[in-house]
Amino acid sequence: MSIGSQLLETPERQTLRRAVGDLGRRYGSAYYLAKARAGEPADELWTEAGKAGYLGVNLPAEYGGGGGGITDLAIVLEELGAAGCPLLMLIVSPAICGTVIARYGTPEQQRRWLPGLADGSRRMAFGITEPDAGSNSHRISTVARRDGEDWLLTGRKVFVSGIDHSDAVLFVARTEDARTGKLKPCLFVVPRDTPGFEYRAIPMELVAPEKQFQVFLDDVRLPADALVGDENAGLLQLFAGLNPERVLTAAFSLGLARQALGKAVEYAKTRTVWSTPIGAHQGLAHPLAQCAVEIELARLMTQKAGLLYDAGEDLAAGEAANMAKYAAGEAAARTVDQAVQTLGGNGLTQEYGLGALLTATRVGRVAPVSREMVLNYVAQHTLGLPKSY
C-alpha cells in the first residue's frame, strides 16, 4: 500500500487491494512468464480471480458483478501487475466490453454476456484499430450495412488482443446515416465462430500470455440484436469504453512500474560492492527515488480519472484518463529502464524478469492511444491551443 492510501481509499478498496495482491503473489512473475513463453493463456489465475469476484468487480451486482466501478477494477489490475501478473485482458473484457454492454446493451445482451464476463467464464475481445486508421477513429473503414433485418459487416482490424481465447469480439464499425449519408461509429458483438470472420496471429516481441491478431471481416452476417445500443448514439457509446480503457492501461503500467521498482530496490539493498550496498550510492538511490515519486503521482491521477468516470463526469474523466495513461506510461518506461540499469547484467536475465518488462512498458506509451496524441489532446482541450492535426 502506497503513501497515504489509507486516507485516499475506502476500507473496502484497501481490503480489495490486499486480497488481490495476495492472489497475485501466489502465482507471481515466474508463473506469468512461463505461461507467456509457452504461448499459453494464464487460465488458472484468470479462473481463480473470476471465482473470487475480482474480474467483475466493476459490473452490476444483478448480473453477478461486484457493483463497483472502474476505480475498483483498476485496483485489481494494478495489484496483479505489481505482483508480476499484468493480465492485459482485464483492460479488454470487463473494462471495455463489460462497461459498454452494462451501460448501453439491451436487457437480453446484458443477460447473455455480463454474468460470464463477471465470473471469467466468458471473455470478449475488442476491435477498433485498423491498418490505415491508426488513432483516428473518424477514419475507421469497417462498415456495417443493413440487409433486411440483418447486418453485413466488412472490414479489417489489427492488434486485437486475445481473440483465440475469447467467445466474441466487440467491433467498432460505421453505419451510414440515412438522413445525411455520413458514416457514424457503432458497436457490434460478433461471436468468434461467425462465418466470414477470420483472424490471424501477428508475430510480436511482446512477452505476454495474450496474443495479438489481425482480423478480416467479409460480409459477416449478423442478426439485428448484434448491435449494441443506439445506432445513432455515435461517439458517446464508443467513449464509454475508451475512457475505461485508458484508466485500465494506466493501472497496467503502474503495476509494471511497481513490480520493477520493487525488484530494483530489493537488489540495491542486498547487492554489495566494495563492502557497501549499491543502494547507498546516490547515483542509484536518487533515480530510484525519482521513479517512486513519478509512480505515486501517476497513481493519484489514475485514481482521479477512475473516480470521475464512476461519478458520471464523462468529459472531465476523458481529460483525466488521458493524463493518467500518459503519466503512468512514462513512469513505467523510466522505472523499468532504471531497474535494469540497477541490476546491470542481471537485469537482462530471465531469472529477474525485468528484460521482458522493457517491451511491455511500450504498451502504455503506444496503446490505446499514443503519448503524442495524448499531448495533442491536452494542448487542444486543456490549454485551448489550436488543433495541430
Side-chain angles (χ1 to χ4, degrees), residues 144-166:
R145 66 183 190 278
R146 289 191 180 276
D147 184 45
E149 294 296 316
D150 294 344
W151 292 94
L152 292 177
L153 193 62
T154 299
R156 261 187 86 191
K157 298 290 183 183
V158 292
F159 300 119
V160 183
S161 303
I163 291 181
D164 53 337
H165 296 284
S166 294

Side-chain angles (χ1 to χ4, degrees), residues 70 91 95-96 99 103 238-249 309 321:
I70 288 301
I91 301 174
I96 302 174
T99 297
R103 285 185 67 167
L238 178 57
F239 278 92
L242 296 188
N243 283 334
E245 183 182 28
R246 285 156 170 73
V247 175
L248 266 292
T249 301
Y309 184 84

Side-chain angles (χ1 to χ4, degrees), residues 342-363:
T342 300
L343 271 67
N346 282 330
L348 297 176
T349 64
Q350 289 192 1
E351 177 185 357
Y352 288 93
L354 289 173
L357 298 184
L358 284 170
T359 307
T361 56
R362 304 307 301 186
V363 172

